[in-house]
Amino acid sequence: MFLPSNWNEDSDFASISSSGLLSAGSVSSDQPINITASYTQDGVTKTGTFKVAIVNHIHTHRLTSFDTDGKGDVLLRNLETGRWEINFLNNRFVKTNSGPTWLFPGPDWKMMGTGDFNGSGYGDILLRNQITSGWRMFFMQGREYTNEAPSFSLDMNWQLAGLGDFDGDGMDDVLLRNRLTGIWKINFMDGSLIKPNSGPTWLFLSLDWEMLGTNDLNSGVDRRVGN
């Protein structure tokens, strides 16, 4: 969560509570919630309520592990400053190495989703600019990252529909859908590179069919779409 500007990553969290549910799929991207935190700073325990957005995107249906410990972590964004923060979780407890990660703070950059796009074992982050339509992948190692621009369509009619490892290579792929035509396209990813076998997949085109989520339902690759 976002603590006061003079908070440092060595501060201890005594307790955390939230008016929102910190579970995958429980809130949508950028939905504001209030989080109350008690924390120790300079030997003094303080409590404050902070307005944040939980930005693990609903399409992922999971909380991504940004530190490879196999436990879901929580990525938050401050709605006023645009700053991002990763909370590394150990069950209910926030680890002391949690803190800011310096993704693009501009309000034009919106969360699209999280997944492991390069097979590193670390959760990565996909953003999109709502003005330029540009995409950006942040390949995370804890709170540090490198970033690259995948060559997805810049047409805003192409929207993110889902994320998942559709070809079983250990790297999450990106499913887009055209909101005018209903056409679906799977982008098989190798980092930020789109593999040449990427292209349309002939799911139902009718816009009455909406994406509910992606999962491996038969030890292969399946889609779940709802009418």
Side-chain angles (χ1 to χ4, degrees), residues 118-132:
N118 61 358
S120 67
Y122 291 90
D124 304 315
I125 298 168
L126 178 63
L127 303 184
R128 192 178 193 186
N129 190 294
Q130 301 303 293
I131 294 180
T132 68

Side-chain angles (χ1 to χ4, degrees), residues 22-166:
L22 299 184
S23 61
S26 63
V27 293
S28 60
S29 177
D30 293 339
Q31 176 179 323
I33 59 176
N34 291 321
I35 287 183
T36 300
S38 297
Y39 58 99
T40 301
Q41 183 177 347
D42 300 326
V44 179
T45 298
K46 302 178 181 180
T47 299
T49 299
F50 309 95
K51 184 179 180 182
V52 298
I54 184 169
V55 291
N56 277 279
H57 198 278
I58 192 169
H59 286 307
T60 65
H61 286 264
R62 65 187 184 275
L63 295 182
T64 298
S65 177
F66 294 108
D67 58 1
T68 71
D69 66 354
K71 298 179 181 180
D73 303 314
V74 177
L75 174 64
L76 299 179
R77 191 179 193 188
N78 188 300
L79 297 178
E80 296 180 356
T81 67
R83 279 183 32 172
W84 307 77
E85 178 156 325
I86 295 177
N87 294 269
F88 301 112
L89 296 182
N90 181 13
N91 299 319
R92 294 185 298 111
F93 302 99
V94 178
K95 298 179 182 179
T96 56
N97 60 331
S98 301
T101 184
W102 305 109
L103 309 183
F104 298 155
D108 301 335
W109 288 97
K110 300 296 185 183
M111 166 62 68
M112 293 290 105
T114 60
D116 185 359
F117 301 113
N118 61 358
S120 67
Y122 291 90
D124 304 315
I125 298 168
L126 178 63
L127 303 184
R128 192 178 193 186
N129 190 294
Q130 301 303 293
I131 294 180
T132 68
S133 303
W135 304 77
R136 207 77 182 183
M137 280 184 175
F138 292 80
F139 302 107
M140 308 301 295
Q141 288 192 349
R143 292 192 285 130
E144 303 299 321
Y145 64 82
T146 59
N147 70 87
E148 298 177 5
S151 56
F152 302 142
S153 173
L154 297 181
D155 182 348
M156 285 299 290
N157 290 317
W158 284 98
Q159 298 287 310
L160 180 71
L163 299 170
D165 183 4
F166 298 109

